[in-house]
Amino acid sequence: MIELGTQSDIKLINEEGLRNDGRKFNELRPIRIEVGVLNRADGSAYIEWGGNKVLVAVYGPREAFPKHTQNPSRAIINARYNMAAFSVDERKRPGPDRRAIEISKVISEALEVAVFTEQFPRTSIDVYIEVLQADAGTRIAGLTAASVALVDAGIPMKDMVVGCAAGKIDGKVVLDLNKEEDNFGQADLPMAIIPRTDEIVLLQMDGNFSREELEQAVELSKKAATYISNLQREALMAKYKSQESEKEGERSE
Ligand code: UDP
């Protein structure tokens, strides 16, 4: 019989202080963001974050239906987080479960702080977050891509929301847990911030941190958020630059 590992017997940090994928305690997994990947959505983005692959489509602002959901003074943000059946090792049963409903709610609330919703009364802004491949940290990857897709849809915001997570493995606080670290670590702290105003708009915790560890985790994620925020901007710039060069090409033909 194969013995499954437990928290105490799986070592996640080696003698050199490196993690199971070779990262240092304060290193992110590789992140790649692409903007405008879907023609029929008002805005869209695709993100690869380590082993996560997430696609986001934004529609709106459009008249909210059913009518009783309309808010006469502002837009409502409907984020819908969904995991594809093939996104995880064990087939995920299709359709929303408690986890997806919770994640959709916290992402909607985080985005609501950033978007100038009062400019679009009675409308809804629908944000579809489709997780194609999951490897821990999908909610923050989805939220990070959703912000970019909102900009792509031309929706005015204070700033883009940036998601990041830190956790605890082998008793050490580290940045951005992967799946194995998430499974066998002691804590995970996904959070999201608006860099321009320094507001924390999502903060969840799984497991236990001391007060000091919690502060370290928040600090690690905040530093990483500055870097991720630049990646969001670069992805948007890349889209507009390629559109410009396409137009130039057409003009010279
Ligand atoms: N996961 C899974 N099946 C599920 C839900 C989650 O295999 O039904 C995996 C998936 O890789 C996910 C990870 O567990 O990324 C961590 O899930 P969590 O609920 O902590 O959310 P996340 O870290 O993805 O935001």
Side-chain angles (χ1 to χ4, degrees), residues 14-214:
N14 70 16
E15 289 71 29
E16 283 123 57
L18 298 178
R19 296 153 68 179
N20 60 6
D21 53 10
R23 280 183 295 155
K24 298 192 192 105
F25 78 100
N26 59 351
E27 256 182 276
L28 284 167
R29 291 174 284 178
I31 301 174
R32 185 174 80 82
I33 307 172
E34 216 176 307
V35 184
V37 289
L38 301 171
N39 290 342
R40 300 199 216 306
D42 295 325
S44 60
Y46 170 69
I47 190 165
E48 286 181 359
W49 184 320
N52 295 307
K53 295 184 179 181
V54 186
L55 191 58
V56 180
V58 167
Y59 292 86
R62 57 188 179 183
E63 192 180 356
F65 275 108
K67 278 209 158 167
H68 69 82
T69 62
Q70 292 183 356
N71 184 321
S73 52
R74 61 176 186 85
I76 45 173
I77 307 238
N78 281 325
R80 199 206 61 170
Y81 167 101
N82 180 54
M83 265 186 145
F86 51 80
S87 65
V88 288
D89 284 336
E90 300 241 329
R91 179 180 178 275
K92 154 86 177 53
R93 209 165 154 228
D97 51 17
R98 284 171 61 111
R99 176 177 170 276
I101 293 167
E102 171 214 311
I103 295 177
S104 301
K105 181 175 187 289
V106 293
I107 291 180
S108 300
E109 288 170 356
L111 293 172
E112 238 163 47
V113 184
V115 173
F116 291 121
T117 54
E118 65 284 358
Q119 293 187 13
F120 308 101
R122 300 188 188 282
T123 66
S124 73
I125 296 169
D126 302 311
V127 183
Y128 295 92
I129 299 169
E130 299 291 332
V131 178
L132 308 177
Q133 188 173 289
D135 193 56
T138 55
R139 76 193 64 201
I140 49 147
L143 182 51
T144 302
S147 303
V148 177
L150 283 166
V151 174
D152 188 41
I155 292 169
M157 285 191 278
K158 284 185 201 172
D159 192 4
M160 284 181 279
V161 177
V162 183
C164 196
K168 186 162 69 164
I169 54 170
D170 291 1
K172 271 202 80 173
V173 177
V174 300
L175 188 64
D176 186 26
L177 302 188
N178 62 32
K179 181 75 168 71
E180 194 184 14
E181 294 175 328
D182 184 273
N183 282 2
F184 300 107
Q186 294 97 50
D188 187 22
L189 186 89
M191 70 180 241
I193 71 165
I194 299 180
R196 237 186 81 200
T197 55
D198 213 23
E199 283 166 279
I200 294 181
V201 291
L202 180 151
L203 188 66
Q204 299 188 287
M205 188 163 87
D206 198 5
N208 292 306
F209 282 109
S210 68
R211 195 194 167 97
E212 209 173 65
E213 288 166 345
L214 180 71

